[in-house]
Amino acid sequence: MIWKLGEGEIGEITEGQGSLVFLTDSAHVEFLCNFLSQFIRRDLAILGQYERRLMHLEEEVSEGNIQDFQAQIMPLRRELLSLRSYYDEMMDMGKDLEENEGHFFTKKNLKYFGALSDRADRLMSKTDHLLEYARQIRDACQSVVDESQNENMQFLTVISTIFYPLTLIAGWRFFMCKTALFALRVVS
């Protein structure tokens, strides 16, 4: 998008359309809403990329490949939390402008700010969904780790069940031999 300033008017050239639109006083609200909506224009696609990354991590966890899982999931969660805060702020700003406390805008134009805050709210809901999905994947990874630890503990229990009686017998035998040797030394 290219903005052209000239002779007191603001013009917009939209990519792909090649049309030039000059803004008048009645279009300031539309200009402001369009300007603000440009900040979140491609965010649905960005959130889709995050979802695909999370799905890939889920596949790795289901296959048992949990090497460096925490190193992969933590940056994703941090980025999603940052995006959630961003959408929350954008939603609040849209609602504040929609409330029109300074009476800068006509009632007819307030719908644009409502649409902006609604879009930010939908993006925030999608981000919340992705954060919950990341939490579920992390729980699935933890269950894989717990299952592996349970298998290790079961193996160690069997080993200790076999060797504990042998240790007890060997200790008792050593104690009996030591006592017999001590008794022989005392008598001699």
Side-chain angles (χ1 to χ4, degrees), residues 62-81:
S62 66
E63 293 170 358
N65 184 10
I66 55 173
Q67 296 286 342
D68 299 328
F69 175 77
Q70 291 297 330
Q72 292 176 359
I73 194 87
M74 292 309 288
L76 281 174
R77 289 192 69 241
R78 272 190 297 247
E79 291 169 16
L80 286 170
L81 285 171

Side-chain angles (χ1 to χ4, degrees), residues 32-165:
L32 181 60
C33 284
N34 286 333
F35 178 73
L36 293 174
S37 68
Q38 291 300 312
F39 290 111
I40 57 175
R41 182 181 67 179
R42 296 184 183 141
D43 287 10
L44 193 57
I46 291 170
L47 291 176
Q49 291 173 353
Y50 279 109
E51 187 171 21
R52 284 188 292 282
R53 288 170 63 187
L54 287 170
M55 288 170 64
H56 178 71
L57 281 176
E58 183 182 30
E59 288 173 5
E60 287 182 6
V61 167
S62 66
E63 293 170 358
N65 184 10
I66 55 173
Q67 296 286 342
D68 299 328
F69 175 77
Q70 291 297 330
Q72 292 176 359
I73 194 87
M74 292 309 288
L76 281 174
R77 289 192 69 241
R78 272 190 297 247
E79 291 169 16
L80 286 170
L81 285 171
S82 296
L83 280 174
R84 187 191 182 288
S85 297
Y86 175 71
Y87 298 138
D88 190 33
E89 291 294 323
M90 186 67 90
M91 188 180 64
D92 286 344
M93 181 176 57
K95 287 187 181 196
D96 287 345
L97 290 172
E98 187 180 19
E99 288 175 2
N100 196 20
E101 288 182 12
H103 304 289
F104 294 115
F105 313 110
T106 63
K107 289 184 180 184
K108 179 181 132 186
N109 291 329
L110 294 179
K111 66 181 178 183
Y112 297 116
F113 297 119
L116 177 69
S117 64
D118 288 345
R119 184 168 183 193
D121 186 33
R122 286 190 305 273
L123 289 169
M124 190 172 72
S125 295
K126 176 79 172 169
T127 306
D128 285 337
H129 167 72
L130 292 175
L131 283 168
E132 179 62 32
Y133 186 34
R135 211 171 288 119
Q136 289 172 358
I137 294 170
R138 193 179 64 202
D139 291 345
C141 178
Q142 186 61 42
S143 69
V144 168
V145 169
D146 290 345
E147 183 180 332
S148 173
Q149 287 177 344
N150 286 341
E151 289 174 3
N152 290 341
M153 291 303 292
Q154 184 179 13
F155 176 74
L156 291 174
T157 302
V158 169
I159 296 297
S160 63
T161 303
I162 292 170
F163 285 106
Y164 183 70

